[in-house]
Structures are given as C-alpha cells and as structure tokens.
Amino acid sequence: MEFHEPVMVREVLSVLRPGPLSRVVDGTLGTAGHALEFARLIGSQGILVGLDRDPAMLAIGARRLNEAKGKDGPRLHLVARPYEEICEVLQDAGMTEGVDAILLDLGVNSLQLENPERGFAFSKEGPLDGRFNTEAQATTMADLVNNASERELADWLRDYADERLARPIARRIAARRALAPLRTTTELAELVREAYPPAQRFGRIHPATRTFQALRIAVNDEMGSVERGLKACMSALAPGGVLASISFHSIEDRITKRIFQGATDAKPDPSNPYSATTTEGLEFELPFRRPIACTAEEAESNPRARSAKLRAIRRMEVTS
Ligand SMILES: C[S@@+](CC[C@H](N)C(=O)[O-])C[C@H]1O[C@@H](n2cnc3c(N)ncnc32)[C@H](O)[C@@H]1O
C-alpha cells in the first residue's frame, strides 16, 4: 500500500466542518489522507497546520500536501512535533487566537507498520524498535523487553492489549533474555508464538499481534500523549472551535470520554479524575454523546476502521 487509508473521512468532515478561512490543525498528519480533504475545503484564505511526531511520516504528508496545493490551497505550517506541543507550535506560527478545528487520528499508520526497519511489526525481520521518533526518543522496544521487570511486561501486555497470556509471555521473555538479549522483531514474535498452545499458534491473527501493540504503546507512552494532548488541544481551540479524536483502543477511548465529560460537567464528578480540572476558565459542550462508528461499507472495505470511535468537543462561543 502506498499511503495510509484514512478512516471515517466523511464523518470527520461533518463534525469539523472545515471551510473557507478556517484555521485547521491535523495533529496526526501521517500521509495526509484527512489533511488533503481539509486543504481542499479550506482554500487559499485559510491555514492548515500539520503535526506528526514521526519526521518520516510528516515528510510524506508534507510532500503530498505541497504537490496538491496549487494556487488555491491554504497556507501550510507543517512541523514534526507531537500534538501535545500544539500550543507552542501555534505560538511559533503567530496563531495566538486559537483554531477552528483540530483532528487527532490516534495510533500508528500503515506505512510505519509495513516498514520492517521501523520495528513496529513482526511479519518481516527488523530491529525491535517501535519508536515514532528515532532521534528524539532514546528507549526502544528492545530496551523494554530486555530491561523491564517481568511484572511490568505482564502489566503492559494485559493493560494495553488484553493479552490473556500476559504472564506466561513475560515469563518466557525473562527466561530468554537471561541467556541472550532479544534483538529482532521475529525473535520476539517466535517466542510469543511458543507461549501459545500448539492449536492456537497458526490462526488468522499472529499470536504476537497483541504483544507488539502493547510494547509500541509503552515505548511511545501513547496513553500519556493522549491525556496531555487532548487537554492541550482543547486549550488551543478558538471560541466555537471543535476538536475531534478518533481512537482505536479502549483505553484511548476511555481517556477521551472522561476528559471530554470532565470538561463539560456542570458539577465536579468525584468518580472522574478529569472532572472540572481540564481547562480552567474555558467552557465546552459535547456536539454528541455517543461515539460515532464507521459505516458497514467502510468496515467492509477498510478493516482498520472497524474499531474506530470518533468523539468530539466544542469550545463554546463567548456570550456577553
Ligand atoms: C493513524 S495515523 C494518522 C493517519 C492520517 N490521518 C492519514 O490520513 O494519513 C497516526 C499518526 O499519528 C502519529 N503520531 C503518533 N503519536 C503522535 C503524537 N503524540 N503527536 C503527533 N503525531 C503522533 C503517527 O506517527 C502516525 O503517523
């Protein structure tokens, strides 16, 4: 596949409503599937800011946007930084009045998964890496599997991937690394496969899928990013601006739901750690309460979209 296939494009556009003059941020630019649609609708009077933590993805997204731009395209401001830093990025761009629309399309994109050099997947041999930014991040997946405690490994596998064999897999990793460190994706994948009963080792889904997902989330602190990033994005909205977030993981969706609810609660909710703490002084509303899922047609044509959940929050207009 040449580019990542964007999910729920129609739904995203109907929630964010980018139009002429809009100031739009794509906080997870990737290969610009969503951003190309934004650029088309914004026109030459608007601004499109694109961020990606992975400089290689940012470069592909930037190339596609620049090629498509023509004279009617928006002003582009594209930076290889994490969306948690959106406020600093907007400040640097002189956009201190906030923006009208922000999209976070969370997780990993298919080009990262398909490149064995990046170490996100186990289908082809590569280094056990999994970092979104190989220059800014020091710790790799190899560092985690070779140094984290058995307990920590098991917790990540259970919490980030619902891996029911979390403990046996962690035990195997610990036993194996005592002999020699694990270095490649395929070494780890085979070790995980062997933790499974023989009848379950060669099913439709490779038994190491969940382990790689969990380690990728851990190595990039993806849940920490979501928590810090959603709050930062909310404070970057202009009055009337909308933030939309697409989650593929139940923990991401839960964090999103609670942060959005916490910011719109009339009274603090003691059961929600994010209640009334999110963005002091700004008022928000939920354009819809239940997350939006993809259509049956999209689920059929793009299996990745099946687990996608779209949520949104709007900063209220100032009333006086
Ligand atoms: C699902 S892909 C986005 C795909 C994109 N919407 C498209 O249509 O091509 C997620 C992207 O988010 C990036 N990413 C992950 N964590 C990030 C973070 N904290 N800040 C910015 N980008 C991040 C990944 O590098 C990846 O390119």
Side-chain angles (χ1 to χ4, degrees):
M1 184 192 306
E2 202 185 350
F3 300 114
H4 176 89
E5 190 176 346
V7 303
M8 299 180 74
V9 173
R10 213 174 23 179
E11 293 82 353
V12 165
L13 295 179
S14 78
V15 168
L16 292 181
R17 298 179 183 277
L21 304 177
S22 294
R23 299 155 294 179
V24 178
V25 178
D26 188 329
T28 50
L29 186 74
T31 55
H34 291 103
L36 283 164
E37 292 298 315
F38 298 152
R40 187 173 59 79
L41 294 163
I42 292 172
S44 59
Q45 302 293 304
I47 305 180
L48 175 61
V49 176
L51 310 178
D52 200 293
R53 190 175 172 187
D54 183 338
M57 293 305 119
L58 195 277
I60 299 174
R63 196 188 70 224
R64 290 185 86 194
L65 284 168
N66 279 305
E67 279 169 7
K69 188 167 173 255
K71 62 177 174 26
D72 297 327
R75 204 172 97 204
L76 298 175
H77 184 75
L78 309 172
V79 225
R81 284 174 74 174
Y83 55 74
E84 299 91 295
E85 296 177 11
I86 186 170
C87 296
E88 293 82 342
V89 170
L90 294 179
Q91 183 104 31
D92 293 348
M95 296 170 68
T96 46
E97 285 166 13
V99 295
D100 307 302
I102 305 175
L103 172 67
L104 298 182
D105 175 18
L106 300 171
V108 68
N109 81 51
S110 41
L111 266 73
Q112 291 163 322
L113 285 173
E114 284 164 12
N115 179 355
E117 289 302 309
R118 301 297 306 269
F120 281 97
F122 44 80
S123 44
K124 294 194 193 122
E125 175 146 52
L128 255 184
D129 193 323
R131 291 171 292 173
F132 282 131
N133 185 329
T134 51
E135 282 172 20
Q137 294 170 247
T139 305
T140 64
M141 265 163 44
D143 294 325
L144 297 189
V145 292
N146 291 314
N147 300 310
S149 70
E150 195 179 314
R151 171 77 187 267
E152 256 178 320
L153 288 168
D155 287 350
W156 289 327
L157 295 182
R158 194 195 51 233
D159 295 346
Y160 294 155
D162 289 328
E163 173 56 74
R164 70 190 163 77
L165 296 184
R167 285 168 70 96
I169 293 171
R171 205 173 312 125
R172 270 177 179 265
I173 291 175
R176 162 62 210 274
R177 72 190 184 192
L179 305 174
L182 283 147
R183 300 210 182 280
T184 67
T185 49
T186 41
E187 278 175 336
L188 177 62
E190 279 315 300
L191 184 146
V192 174
R193 197 201 291 279
E194 285 159 18
Y196 271 73
Q200 295 170 22
R201 286 182 190 164
F202 295 95
R204 200 170 48 83
I205 295 177
H206 194 297
T209 308
R210 281 178 292 276
T211 297
F212 275 75
Q213 173 184 310
L215 292 172
R216 188 205 86 216
I217 291 174
V219 95
N220 293 298
D221 183 23
E222 288 179 43
M223 298 309 157
S225 283
V226 173
E227 188 178 324
R228 293 187 299 276
L230 287 172
K231 293 183 198 170
C233 288
M234 286 163 66
S235 61
L237 290 172
V242 180
L243 162 64
S245 172
I246 305 175
S247 315
F248 296 86
H249 191 287
S250 58
I251 303 184
E252 276 170 359
D253 183 57
R254 193 166 63 236
I255 296 172
T256 309
K257 177 179 167 185
R258 298 183 102 189
I259 289 183
F260 286 3
Q261 265 175 1
T264 52
D265 282 343
K267 307 196 284 259
D269 169 1
S271 70
N272 181 353
Y274 306 111
S275 185
T277 59
T278 321
T279 39
E280 291 81 3
L282 303 183
E283 288 191 66
F284 294 91
E285 61 190 353
L286 300 178
F288 48 91
R289 286 206 161 259
R290 291 187 160 274
I292 299 177
C294 73
T295 59
E297 294 78 41
E298 184 172 8
E300 184 68 29
S301 67
N302 182 4
R304 214 182 137 267
R306 288 178 196 157
S307 55
K309 287 187 174 165
L310 172 66
R311 292 187 185 270
I313 191 162
R314 182 187 295 119
R315 181 171 163 197
M316 282 158 75
E317 301 277 358
V318 185
T319 48
S320 54

